[in-house]
Amino acid sequence: MEKFFQLRERGTTVKTEVVAGITTFLTMVYIIIVNPAILSSAGVPFEQVFMATIISAVIGSLYMGLFAKYPIAIAPGMGMNAYFASVVATQGVSYQVVFGTVFLAGVIFIILTFTKLRETLIGAIPPSLKYGITSGIGLFIAFIGLKMAGIVVPSPNTMVTFGDLHQPVTLLSLFGLFLTLILIARKINSALFIGMLVTAIIGIFAGLLKFNGVASVPPVPVFLDMDIAGVFSNGLYTVVFAFLLVTIFDTTGTMIGVADQAGLTKDGKFPRAKSALMADALATTVGSTFGTSPSSAYIESSSGVAAGGRTGLTSVVVAILFILSIFFSPAISAISSLPAITAPVLIIVGCFMMEGLSRINWKTFDEAFPAFAIILTMPLTSSIATGIAIGIITYPLMKVVSGKWKDVHPILYVFGIIFLIQMIFFPAH
C-alpha cells in the first residue's frame, strides 16, 4: 500500500491518509441527504437518489484514488442538482428526460477526456488565474461555512449581516471554530478531525445532535430510469451543453485548487490529469443511469488536504465510508443535519486556500484584475464555474488591450468567447 500510493515520497502515512479521508467524508457527507432532497422536489424518488448519489461518489472517488492517486473526492455536485430541478420545472419535461441529458453530457465528457482538450485547458490557464481559482474557492467555502454556522445571515439591506449569537447552533459552531484554531496553533495532529469529534460530542449533550436510529436496510438501486429519446424530441441540446460546460469547469477548477493546495502540481502542470478528469466523467455517466445529477470534484476535499492527505488513499477511504453509509443513513442524516460539526472546518480551510494570493503579481494589472474578478465572483454568485468563466473572459480581454495578446494560449480565446455567449444566452442558474 505504501509503495502503490507513494506515501513516503509524498511525506505522509497510512494513519494520516485515513484521518484525512474521514475528515473529507464528514465535510461532504451532507450530499447524500441534500441531493435526494433537491432532486425529489423534481419528482425523483428520494431512495433512488440516495443510492445513486452514493454509487456515483464511490465510483468517482475510487477511480480518483486508484488511478489518478489524488486526495480529491468525487460526488454529485451542488448547483447542478438545483439546475436539474429547475429544468424539470421550467421545460415541462419528466425527470427521466433530464437524466437523459445528464447521460449524454457524461458520454461527451468521457470522449473529451480521451482527447487532449481538458489537459490542454489546464495547461493553458495562466498561474494568476490558477491562484485566483484556488483563493476564490477558499473564500467561497469559508462563506458557506459562515452561513451554515449562522455567523452570517441574509439581510434585506446589506445582503448579509452578522448572525444572532444567542442561537445554540451558532454558539456551538463558534466553540468548534475556536477549539480547532487553538489545536492548529498548538500544532496538534488531526486538529480538524478532533475539533469535529469534540463538537459532535458536545452537540449530543446539548441536545442539538439527536439520533433516530443508527443503521437501516439500504434501498434497492434503480437502473436506467431515463429517457434519452426525449432529449432529442424536446430539443434539450442547450441543457446538455450547460451540464457539460459547467461540470467541466467546476471540477477542473476544483482539481487545480486542491492539487495546488496539496503541493501536487509541478511547474504549473497537473500530473496524471487524464485519469483525474476521467473520474468525474465516469461518475457523472454512471450516476445518471442510477438517478442523480452530474458529479464533480468536491471543494470539501481541501479539508482532507488540510488534515494531511496527499495521496489517492485519502479518496479510497472516502469511497469506503460512502459504501458503509448505505447501511447507516439514520446516523449520517443526524450528523449532517448539525452544521456546527463541519462549518468550522470549511471556514479554516478557506484560510489555508488563500495562500496563493501572495504569488499573484498584483502590480501587473492585466494579471491581477482577472484573478481578483474570480475571487470576487465565486462567493458572490455561489458558483465556482461562474467565477472561472469571468476570469477566462477578462484575462484575454485585458491582455489584448495591453498589447500582450500573444501571451495568451489560443484555447483561452475560444473558451472566453464560448463563456461570453453562454452567460448571455444560456445562463445555468
Side-chain angles (χ1 to χ4, degrees):
M1 183 186 293
E2 186 173 302
K3 197 171 182 181
F4 180 80
F5 289 109
Q6 299 175 315
L7 300 181
R8 190 171 296 174
E9 290 92 324
R10 296 195 192 175
T12 184
T13 63
V14 172
K15 180 187 171 185
T16 300
E17 295 293 302
V18 169
V19 169
I22 295 170
T23 303
T24 295
F25 175 76
L26 288 175
T27 56
M28 66 181 287
V29 69
Y30 66 85
I31 194 62
I32 69 172
I33 305 300
V34 175
N35 198 45
I38 292 172
L39 294 193
S40 61
S41 70
V44 193
F46 188 97
E47 293 79 8
Q48 180 181 345
V49 188
F50 175 80
M51 288 302 292
T53 301
I54 292 172
I55 289 167
S56 58
V58 169
I59 288 170
S61 299
L62 266 183
Y63 194 97
M64 178 68 76
L66 296 175
F67 295 98
K69 299 181 183 176
Y70 281 109
I72 300 172
I74 306 287
M78 289 295 292
M80 283 290 91
N81 45 18
Y83 178 59
F84 181 102
S86 73
V87 172
V88 174
T90 58
Q91 299 286 339
V93 295
S94 67
Y95 70 78
Q96 288 90 346
V97 172
V98 188
F99 279 138
T101 66
V102 177
F103 178 77
L104 291 174
V107 170
I108 298 169
F109 211 176
I110 289 174
I111 293 168
L112 288 177
T113 302
F114 278 119
T115 70
K116 284 195 174 286
L117 177 65
R118 289 184 74 185
E119 279 189 85
T120 303
L121 179 62
I122 290 175
I125 297 174
S128 61
L129 290 191
K130 287 178 180 173
Y131 299 138
I133 289 167
T134 308
S135 302
I137 290 172
L139 203 57
F140 179 32
I141 64 172
F143 185 50
I144 290 171
L146 290 168
K147 287 199 297 181
M148 284 171 58
I151 297 170
V152 297
V153 294
S155 166
N157 300 320
T158 58
M159 292 196 291
V160 292
T161 189
F162 193 66
D164 181 4
L165 294 186
H166 294 93
Q167 296 298 320
V169 171
T170 305
L171 280 175
L172 183 58
S173 299
L174 286 170
F175 169 81
L177 176 62
F178 284 109
L179 171 65
T180 311
L181 288 172
I182 291 166
L183 293 173
I184 292 170
R186 300 298 303 167
K187 295 183 169 55
I188 304 294
N189 291 331
S190 309
L192 296 174
F193 180 66
I194 294 169
M196 283 192 286
L197 184 63
V198 173
T199 304
I201 292 169
I202 292 173
I204 294 170
F205 285 107
L208 297 173
L209 181 55
K210 297 176 183 176
F211 294 95
N212 298 315
V214 176
S216 65
V217 177
V220 178
V222 178
F223 188 58
L224 288 178
D225 184 21
M226 65 169 67
D227 179 6
I228 297 173
V231 178
F232 299 99
S233 61
N234 288 282
L236 298 179
Y237 308 112
T238 57
V239 176
V240 175
F241 182 71
F243 276 134
L244 180 65
L245 205 61
V246 174
T247 307
I248 282 177
F249 278 89
D250 200 342
T251 199
T252 301
T254 301
M255 284 184 189
I256 290 171
V258 176
D260 187 59
Q261 181 200 357
L264 300 175
T265 53
K266 295 176 183 176
D267 301 321
K269 294 183 179 177
F270 191 48
R272 302 177 306 284
K274 195 166 282 187
S275 297
L277 300 169
M278 180 59 79
D280 60 308
L282 200 61
T284 293
T285 309
V286 175
S288 68
T289 64
F290 284 95
T292 185
S293 47
S295 292
S296 175
Y298 256 62
I299 53 177
E300 285 83 357
S301 303
S302 53
S303 63
V305 170
R310 293 294 179 273
T311 75
L313 182 55
T314 295
S315 301
V316 172
V317 170
V318 171
I320 291 168
L321 291 172
F322 267 112
I323 293 170
L324 294 176
S325 70
I326 293 173
F327 305 98
F328 296 98
S329 60
I332 286 165
S333 177
I335 293 167
S336 63
S337 68
L338 181 57
I341 297 173
T342 53
V345 176
L346 297 181
I347 295 165
I348 291 166
V349 169
C351 173
F352 290 151
M353 296 188 74
M354 302 300 284
E355 182 207 352
L357 287 176
S358 64
R359 290 182 265 177
I360 296 171
N361 186 355
W362 292 104
K363 292 182 179 178
T364 306
F365 192 70
D366 54 19
E367 292 283 336
F369 185 81
F372 167 73
I374 293 172
I375 296 163
L376 185 68
T377 52
M378 273 189 193
L380 292 181
T381 62
S382 296
S383 170
I384 293 171
T386 300
I388 294 169
I390 296 290
I392 288 178
I393 291 168
T394 54
Y395 188 85
L397 184 64
M398 295 296 294
K399 289 295 181 182
V400 168
V401 298
S402 301
K404 303 175 187 174
W405 62 273
K406 288 185 179 178
D407 294 350
V408 181
H409 194 289
I411 200 169
L412 283 190
Y413 288 113
V414 174
F415 274 100
I417 293 167
I418 290 173
F419 273 132
L420 193 60
I421 293 168
Q422 188 244 331
M423 292 181 78
I424 294 170
F425 298 106
F426 312 110
H429 296 297

